[in-house]
Amino acid sequence: MIDPRTAARVEAARAELEAGFTTEQWAVGRVLCPAGEKCVMGTAMPYLFVPKKTGQLPMHRGFLGKACDGAHKKPTTPPLQLRPSA
């Protein structure tokens, strides 16, 4: 079972990513999979992708080879940008 404090931190981080902000420089310009929590790449933290030139996400598959429902679709969240400092 997941510790409630850990679950709260994960949810807060997910909400920040869905709003389009990050604290990590490497994540700037990346987008979330539009499949959300159903993405086959992971459930604890969403995977971030660099969109292709067409604006769509690259193909991504789970461990068993099943293609994600969000593959080859346009993202529904804005590209991430650095969170403004307080």
Side-chain angles (χ1 to χ4, degrees), residues 2 6-15 17-18 32 36-48 63:
I2 296 177
T6 303
R9 282 192 304 247
V10 169
E11 274 307 309
R14 182 186 302 274
L17 289 173
E18 288 175 352
L32 295 171
E37 293 183 7
K38 295 180 181 178
C39 182
V40 297
M41 295 298 289
T43 56
M45 283 300 293
Y47 274 75
L48 302 173
F63 292 114

Side-chain angles (χ1 to χ4, degrees), residues 47-68:
Y47 274 75
L48 302 173
F49 297 95
V50 175
K52 298 186 321 187
K53 291 181 181 180
T54 60
Q56 298 174 336
L57 291 177
M59 171 58 75
H60 51 285
R61 297 177 184 274
F63 292 114
L64 300 176
K66 181 179 183 273
C68 180

Side-chain angles (χ1 to χ4, degrees), residues 60-80:
H60 51 285
R61 297 177 184 274
F63 292 114
L64 300 176
K66 181 179 183 273
C68 180
D69 291 337
H72 296 299
K73 294 194 175 156
K74 294 204 178 216
T76 56
T77 58
L80 295 176

